[in-house]
Amino acid sequence: FAPLGSWRLSSEGEIRPQGLHPQRYENVNRLLVRSARSKVIELGDEQVKLPDGKLQARTAGLQDPASFMIQVAYQFILDPSKARPGSSFEMTVLTLRKPEPLVFDVIEEVELDTPMGRIPTLHVRPRKAIVDDGALPANVWFAPGLQYLPVRIAMKMKDDVWLEMNLAKAPQQTPGQPSSQGPAASAAAPAP
């Protein structure tokens, strides 16, 4: 049957020593019959311009809904102690209306069946699943053997509506470059 629509989140920015530094976020929702206008957030170094034109101060480490999963992966590479079941960490994620400080819990290590076979993953979940009448990933499974790329994402859209995305094929990755600075420096950082 024909697809019911599409939903695209995109993030543009830079990779800095602290990780991803988003500069432009776009949310294009064309689900079901009606299409919504594209919503864009401009992220300057000092201020953030929301889709309604309001300006807010930019906080350190701020991520958007498209970049934050890759930032989590990057943080796991930089500091493997964050990637242990039972640990928690905080990150501020910008919604279409405001920055939202979120706490993420590392739940468990679990193997998932994928088209590539069984892959060991790390299950991470924000304590708050729905923010600002919009969805954030409720559950993300990161694969340590794939530079912590997400291989499964389950998003709670509304009370009983979930969106699930799963790895369909092997990801295209750049191998790490040897470095004298240790293992964290040799891991390639995913591009935004």
Side-chain angles (χ1 to χ4, degrees):
F1 73 101
L4 297 175
S6 65
W7 185 26
R8 181 176 52 89
L9 309 178
S10 64
S11 180
E12 298 172 20
E14 299 174 346
I15 299 175
R16 295 187 177 179
Q18 303 80 17
L20 297 181
H21 185 80
Q23 296 170 320
R24 184 178 190 278
Y25 167 74
E26 184 176 12
N27 180 327
V28 181
N29 184 343
R30 290 187 169 73
L31 295 174
L32 300 173
V33 203
R34 70 171 199 252
S35 293
R37 286 182 351 140
S38 171
K39 295 179 181 166
V40 175
I41 298 174
E42 299 291 339
L43 296 96
D45 283 341
E46 303 295 325
Q47 289 188 321
V48 172
K49 183 178 179 184
L50 299 171
D52 63 5
K54 290 182 183 170
L55 297 175
Q56 297 216 355
R58 182 175 185 146
T59 57
L62 182 68
Q63 298 297 316
D64 62 48
S67 70
F68 89 92
M69 283 182 281
I70 301 304
Q71 178 68 4
V72 169
Y74 186 68
Q75 293 303 311
F76 285 163
I77 291 168
L78 291 179
D79 183 0
S81 70
K82 290 182 178 178
R84 291 192 182 119
S87 65
S88 298
F89 57 93
E90 190 172 321
M91 183 179 295
T92 302
V93 178
L94 186 63
T95 69
L96 292 172
R97 295 189 187 139
K98 64 181 180 174
E100 186 76 43
L102 296 175
V103 176
F104 293 86
D105 295 317
V106 181
I107 306 298
E108 63 184 340
E109 294 174 350
V110 62
E111 286 193 359
L112 294 182
D113 289 317
T114 73
M116 295 172 52
R118 290 184 67 76
I119 295 178
T121 65
L122 194 60
H123 179 189
V124 176
R125 177 176 58 214
R127 290 185 186 166
K128 209 175 192 182
I130 293 187
V131 180
D132 195 25
D133 294 328
L136 289 176
N139 293 278
V140 182
W141 288 260
F142 294 93
L146 298 174
Q147 298 171 313
Y148 288 99
L149 289 176
V151 296
R152 180 177 179 217
I153 303 167
M155 299 175 76
K156 187 172 185 177
M157 305 300 287
K158 292 182 183 173
D159 289 338
D160 294 328
V161 179
W162 286 80
L163 173 66
E164 187 170 320
M165 296 171 275
N166 292 289
L167 178 72
K169 62 182 179 178
Q172 296 178 0
Q173 292 181 281
T174 303
Q177 301 299 317
S179 172
S180 60
Q181 297 177 355
S186 67

